[in-house]
Amino acid sequence: MAPATDWDEIKRLAADFQKAQLSTTAQRLSERNCIEIVTKLIELKLIDVIFTNDGKEYLTSLQLIKEMKDELYVHGGRINTVDLAKELNVDFNHITTHIPEIVKGKDVQLISGYLITNYYLEKIAREVNEKLQLQGYISVGELTLHYDLPADLIQHSVLEKFLGKIIIGKQDPSEPRTFYTDEYITRTKAKIRGALMGLLKPTPIAVIVNHCNLSDRLFLSLFDQLNAPGVLTGKQAGAIYVPSSYTKSQNDWVINFYKQNNYLEYDALSRLGVSDPKGYVKRIILNEELTFLSSCVIGSQIKEQLETALEECIASKSYLDVVTLLPSIFSDSDIESILDELLRNNVKSTVLFENTVFSCHYIEDLKQTCMPITQKNAEALVKSGRYQQFYLEKQLSKNFDMVQSGPADHKAERREERRRKAASGKGGGGTQGRETKTKTVKKHNRSKQVVQDSDSDDGHAVSRKPAHLEVVSVEDIEKVIKEPLENEGLDDLVTRIAEHLQGSLNQIGLAIAKETAEKLLQDSTQNRKQTHSSAQDKINILVNDIKLYEKGIKTFAAEQQAPFIKYLLKSLGGDILSEFCKYAASQCNLSMQNETLSIEQRNKIINDVTEEFKKPLTILSASINEQSMESFFQAIDVALSDFGMILKKVDKKKDKMLVQNHREKLISELENCDDPALCLHMAVLSIFTIVTQTMLHASGRQVAVIINYLKNHIREEDFEKLHSYHELVTKFLTSNGDDRTEIEDKLRSELTTLKNVVHDIKKYK
């Protein structure tokens, strides 16, 4: 019952409200009462209305929707929702709440806060068409900025939707956001064609596009349709248009230059605008044998010219300066590449120095001019002993390397083997084996030294290399070859050629030095043999003479023999010592200034020779001063043994012949002598030899003793003649002035008598 009562009350109130509205002013409600009434109805949820922002008006939802549509129409089919809320003076939330009711149909859509109707889009399409017809082209980006609408909306809902209907034009296939008219495309093609026809040199696309006021994309899309008199270097924005006329003139220039010069420079092609010179040359020059170098490309003519010149160089045994036959633009690497290919088949017959090719015959001739200095230097090295020292060091190095590489690698194996042998020696073999002892081997000091050296070498990695022996220097070779090379204008290659020749000349010099050294060694060996034999023969003769003289000395009384022995040892004994010293000096490579040695020279040689010669020489020298024939002969035996010499057996028949020859020699010399004192000396010795049949070696001081000895062996008158002549000689030697002259005259007058005494004694003896 309660709902019915409420409804009745509502009806009554409505009737009252209507009555009040239709009544006169006196019966109207105040504004305050109306507000209270509406508020009460809203609280009772009897009505649903919307307040305006100022609260003075109320709207129903239907009225709000109607007014929103009216405002949309008034604004031409597009209005911002924020602006719509301001226009209707309602809260923005109410607008947002009722928008779904408005866009429920397909005529209105909400895009980016705007309510947009289809007739508004159609209006845009008509405006776009007008603009397209005026400009000839239009882009979505431009319309987006102009209409402040999303690009997708304009493209899909305006341009593509009304294309061919309202919008008369075409969409760019390569750029869907761009639209053109056929007239614009035709006009643009004509503009591009005209621009391209006027070009005579390569031009960047950017310049052409800027000149024609076009986009790069449109130009590239229309270029293939133009059949333009030229080509593009690419399809990118930075490409270059190359006119056919320029390409033709470029090709003609390149071909003509190649025909005239048989080469093309990469830099020259780059200056012509060729970006890939090598590929360009391959395309332009066909059926040609080309050689591509680092800075240029050459044809077969240049190579044939070089080959002909090289053959002539080899045949004429001369040289070839390659630079004079090549263009000046060739770089060093180009020349090197050409020479490598050119000399590939002539390596054995040519030698290259920088850019000049020499025939091997020419170099060989230069080498031959250096042979005299090489020969001279090699012989000088041998004479100075430097080559022998080098050869010795080389041999020592070889031996050292063999020692290094030999035992060192097997040390561990040898130690292990020694352990196994030691173990097997103690244990024996099998169960029946018996214990044995290993024999101890005595190690010599020399072996220890080798082991120590080997260990030292292993520890310190010592490497011995023979020093290099320079027979002929680069400077020596330069002096010889400088003049002929300077005459040819090749003075800048003197050092290079000298360095090249030095190696072979040095080897030749070493071979010459080796041959010279071997020959010298053979000669030295032969000389040493001859020296040994000669020294042995001389010593044998002297020793035999001393023995013969000793027999003569022994005929005197013992107390008279000492002076004779002393003189014999000082003279002939000293001669024997000199022969030993000279032989020792030759064996020790000691130089001797004189063939006859003084006492000082003998002593110096004895001090300088090696120990094997020094000891016997010292003993022999001491025995001479002892004045003992026995000691002297013992020292002779020792020296002969140490020197490898032998003393020949005494031949009595030969000794007898020697005595006779000695006697005849003395008599012959006496006949030719005019000196009174010397004649007396030789006469006395001759008579002694005749009387005793022995030889005597005595000085002038012993003449008186000999005369006294002869007193009992010759006639009295002969003795008196000798004695008186001796007294005259003594007076002559001790006198001076007139007496000396008188005595000398007397001696000379009796000289014949003295000589006759010798002949007389010889007859009766």
Side-chain angles (χ1 to χ4, degrees):
M1 292 300 291
T5 303
D6 293 337
W7 181 250
D8 290 341
E9 185 176 358
I10 291 171
K11 287 182 177 181
R12 182 176 57 80
L13 290 172
D16 292 341
F17 184 70
Q18 185 176 9
K19 186 186 292 185
Q21 288 180 333
L22 295 175
S23 63
T24 59
T25 305
Q27 296 176 338
R28 289 182 178 179
L29 297 173
S30 64
E31 184 177 348
R32 181 179 180 84
N33 293 333
C34 290
I35 292 172
E36 291 178 355
I37 293 171
V38 172
T39 302
K40 184 64 177 179
L41 290 174
I42 292 172
E43 291 176 355
L44 295 175
K45 297 182 179 180
L46 297 177
I47 59 173
D48 184 12
V49 294
I50 299 169
F51 287 94
T52 60
N53 289 333
D54 56 5
K56 294 181 178 181
E57 295 181 358
Y58 305 94
L59 293 173
T60 63
S61 296
L62 294 177
Q63 183 62 31
L64 180 60
I65 292 172
K66 179 178 177 300
E67 290 186 4
M68 289 172 63
K69 290 180 178 181
D70 292 343
E71 287 294 329
L72 181 59
Y73 178 77
V74 170
H75 284 80
R78 173 183 176 179
I79 189 171
N80 193 314
T81 54
V82 176
D83 295 338
L84 181 60
K86 292 180 180 179
E87 290 290 339
L88 297 180
N89 196 23
V90 295
D91 188 75
F92 180 73
N93 292 330
H94 296 304
I95 298 298
T96 304
T97 303
H98 291 83
I99 283 176
E101 292 294 331
I102 295 177
V103 301
K104 187 181 295 183
K106 297 182 180 180
D107 296 336
V108 182
Q109 51 186 323
L110 178 65
I111 298 172
S112 301
Y114 284 91
L115 290 175
I116 299 175
T117 61
N118 289 340
Y119 58 83
Y120 175 76
L121 297 178
E122 187 175 344
K123 174 187 173 184
I124 292 177
R126 290 190 181 92
E127 292 177 357
V128 168
N129 184 58
E130 291 177 1
K131 191 172 184 180
L132 178 61
Q133 300 308 317
L134 290 174
Q135 295 181 355
Y137 75 95
I138 199 168
S139 65
V140 174
E142 182 182 350
L143 296 176
T144 300
L145 295 175
H146 179 71
Y147 290 103
D148 192 22
L149 291 175
D152 291 340
L153 175 68
I154 292 177
Q155 182 172 352
H156 300 300
S157 299
V158 178
L159 297 175
E160 294 179 356
K161 181 179 180 182
F162 296 104
L163 185 62
K165 300 174 183 177
I166 298 176
I167 301 174
I168 307 303
K170 292 182 178 180
Q171 188 176 17
D172 189 348
S174 61
E175 179 53 51
R177 291 177 178 267
T178 305
F179 295 81
Y180 305 98
T181 61
D182 291 336
E183 292 80 4
Y184 178 79
I185 296 298
T186 303
R187 188 168 63 252
T188 302
K189 286 182 179 180
K191 187 186 298 185
I192 295 173
R193 188 180 296 108
L196 298 180
M197 291 292 290
L199 294 175
L200 297 177
K201 65 179 183 179
T203 306
I205 290 178
V207 176
I208 301 173
V209 168
N210 292 335
H211 180 74
C212 297
N213 195 20
L214 301 173
S215 65
D216 295 341
R217 188 181 299 276
L218 179 60
F219 175 84
L220 295 173
S221 64
L222 296 179
F223 180 82
D224 295 334
Q225 306 174 18
L226 295 177
N227 193 20
V231 294
L232 289 176
T233 58
K235 291 294 184 180
Q236 294 80 20
I240 296 176
Y241 172 75
V242 182
S244 299
S245 59
Y246 178 83
T247 303
K248 184 178 183 304
S249 62
Q250 182 187 65
N251 294 345
D252 292 342
W253 184 90
V254 171
I255 292 173
N256 292 333
F257 185 90
Y258 177 78
K259 288 181 178 179
Q260 293 176 6
N261 302 282
N262 205 236
Y263 77 91
L264 290 170
E265 186 182 6
Y266 298 149
D267 289 343
L269 297 176
S270 299
R271 289 192 294 270
L272 291 175
V274 179
S275 58
D276 181 16
K278 292 185 180 180
Y280 173 77
V281 172
K282 290 179 182 178
R283 293 193 304 270
I284 296 302
I285 301 176
L286 304 175
N287 302 323
E288 285 280 346
E289 184 181 350
L290 301 175
T291 301
F292 291 91
L293 305 175
S294 62
S295 64
C296 62
V297 55
I298 63 173
S300 58
Q301 292 182 7
I302 292 179
K303 294 172 63 178
E304 292 173 358
Q305 182 181 3
L306 289 174
E307 290 173 356
T308 303
L310 180 61
E311 291 175 0
E312 183 179 353
C313 166
I314 296 173
S316 62
K317 301 179 182 180
S318 60
Y319 63 92
L320 171 64
D321 189 357
V322 179
V323 177
T324 59
L325 301 178
L326 296 176
S328 59
I329 57 95
F330 277 49
S331 64
D332 293 339
S333 60
D334 293 338
I335 297 175
E336 183 178 354
S337 300
I338 291 175
L339 288 174
D340 289 342
E341 184 175 355
L342 182 65
L343 302 178
R344 189 173 299 164
N345 299 325
N346 297 284
V347 176
K348 296 182 179 180
S349 56
T350 57
V351 181
L352 178 64
F353 295 104
E354 294 182 359
N355 297 326
T356 305
V357 182
F358 290 83
S359 67
C360 289
H361 293 287
Y362 189 90
I363 298 298
E364 186 64 26
D365 291 342
L366 291 177
K367 184 192 293 185
Q368 291 303 319
T369 60
C370 299
M371 287 304 296
I373 187 67
T374 304
Q375 178 84 23
K376 179 181 177 182
N377 291 355
E379 293 175 354
L381 285 176
V382 175
K383 289 181 180 178
S384 65
R386 288 180 58 197
Y387 175 78
Q388 291 86 334
Q389 183 180 1
F390 163 75
Y391 184 79
L392 180 61
E393 292 177 355
K394 186 177 179 181
Q395 293 299 115
L396 290 175
S397 176
K398 284 184 179 180
N399 296 336
F400 180 78
D401 292 341
M402 292 176 62
V403 172
Q404 284 276 50
S405 59
D409 297 336
H410 305 287
K411 274 187 175 181
E413 296 180 5
R414 292 204 303 270
R415 293 194 191 101
E416 186 64 26
E417 185 178 355
R418 286 198 295 270
R419 292 193 191 99
R420 288 199 301 269
K421 287 182 178 180
S424 62
K426 290 182 179 179
T431 56
Q432 302 298 324
R434 60 183 180 180
E435 183 176 351
T436 60
K437 294 184 179 180
T438 304
K439 184 179 180 180
T440 302
V441 180
K442 183 178 181 181
K443 296 184 179 179
H444 298 284
N445 293 331
R446 183 176 58 187
S447 301
K448 292 182 180 179
Q449 183 65 36
V450 171
V451 172
Q452 291 173 1
D453 292 344
S454 176
D455 293 341
S456 175
D457 293 338
D458 292 341
H460 300 286
V462 178
S463 62
R464 299 180 183 177
K465 295 185 179 179
H468 175 71
L469 182 62
E470 186 180 76
V471 179
V472 58
S473 66
V474 175
E475 292 75 13
D476 294 336
I477 301 173
E478 286 180 355
K479 292 177 182 178
V480 178
I481 67 175
K482 185 176 183 180
E483 183 176 353
L485 291 178
E486 283 183 346
N487 294 336
E488 297 290 340
L490 300 173
D491 49 314
D492 56 328
L493 295 178
V494 172
T495 302
R496 291 286 304 277
I497 296 176
E499 291 173 350
H500 171 77
L501 292 175
Q502 188 199 19
S504 58
L505 286 173
N506 209 60
Q507 292 299 322
I508 294 173
L510 290 175
I512 294 173
K514 182 179 180 182
E515 182 180 353
T516 305
E518 290 176 351
K519 184 178 179 181
L520 185 64
L521 182 61
Q522 292 176 357
D523 295 343
S524 176
T525 303
Q526 187 67 24
N527 291 337
R528 287 189 179 185
K529 290 181 179 179
Q530 294 177 356
T531 302
H532 183 274
S533 178
S534 176
Q536 180 177 267
D537 292 342
K538 289 180 181 180
I539 292 171
N540 269 274
I541 291 172
L542 290 172
V543 170
N544 193 44
D545 288 347
I546 289 177
K547 288 182 178 180
L548 292 176
Y549 289 134
E550 185 186 16
K551 288 182 181 179
I553 294 173
K554 288 183 178 180
T555 59
F556 292 92
E559 63 273 10
Q560 294 178 335
Q561 294 179 6
F564 292 98
I565 293 173
K566 180 179 180 181
Y567 179 72
L568 179 62
L569 292 179
K570 288 292 184 183
S571 55
L572 296 184
D575 292 342
I576 292 176
L577 179 58
S578 295
E579 292 298 329
F580 276 115
C581 288
K582 286 190 286 185
Y583 177 77
S586 67
Q587 297 299 310
C588 298
N589 295 322
L590 299 178
S591 61
M592 294 181 295
Q593 297 179 353
N594 300 318
E595 188 67 22
T596 303
L597 301 179
S598 64
I599 297 175
E600 292 77 10
Q601 290 173 334
R602 289 201 306 254
N603 293 335
K604 184 177 186 305
I605 291 174
I606 293 172
N607 292 328
D608 292 342
V609 295
T610 57
E611 192 65 30
E612 60 177 328
F613 297 121
K614 185 175 183 179
K615 184 177 179 181
L617 291 177
T618 304
I619 296 173
L620 182 58
S621 177
S623 68
I624 292 175
N625 297 323
E626 290 180 6
Q627 301 180 13
S628 170
M629 296 302 298
E630 185 178 357
S631 300
F632 176 74
F633 284 124
Q634 290 177 355
I636 289 287
D637 292 338
V638 173
L640 288 171
S641 176
D642 290 345
F643 278 64
M645 298 179 183
I646 59 174
L647 190 63
K648 296 179 181 180
K649 294 181 179 179
V650 176
D651 188 349
K652 294 184 177 180
K653 293 182 179 181
K654 189 174 181 180
D655 289 350
K656 186 176 181 180
M657 185 65 66
L658 288 173
V659 173
Q660 293 176 359
N661 292 337
H662 180 70
R663 181 189 66 194
E664 296 300 325
K665 182 179 178 182
L666 287 173
I667 295 172
S668 176
E669 290 177 354
L670 176 63
E671 291 295 330
N672 298 322
C673 182
D674 295 330
D675 185 0
L678 184 58
C679 285
L680 177 63
H681 190 185
M682 287 190 292
V684 171
L685 292 178
S686 300
I687 295 170
F688 181 86
T689 304
I690 294 170
V691 171
T692 63
Q693 294 298 314
T694 59
M695 297 163 50
L696 183 64
H697 187 70
S699 66
R701 294 179 179 180
Q702 280 88 42
V703 171
V705 177
I706 300 172
I707 292 174
N708 291 329
Y709 173 80
L710 293 175
K711 181 178 181 180
N712 299 324
H713 295 81
I714 60 177
R715 292 182 300 191
E716 183 68 24
E717 60 270 20
D718 293 334
F719 171 77
E720 290 297 333
K721 292 177 182 179
L722 290 175
H723 183 71
S724 61
Y725 200 86
H726 177 259
E727 289 179 348
L728 287 175
V729 171
T730 304
K731 291 179 180 180
F732 172 76
L733 294 175
T734 57
S735 64
N736 51 29
D738 296 336
D739 293 340
R740 182 179 179 87
T741 304
E742 183 180 353
I743 297 172
E744 184 179 3
D745 293 338
K746 189 174 183 179
L747 285 172
R748 291 188 181 279
S749 63
E750 295 182 4
L751 187 59
T752 304
T753 304
L754 178 65
K755 294 179 180 180
N756 292 331
V757 170
V758 176
H759 290 292
D760 293 340
I761 295 174
K762 180 181 178 183
K763 289 178 182 179
Y764 68 78
K765 283 294 183 179

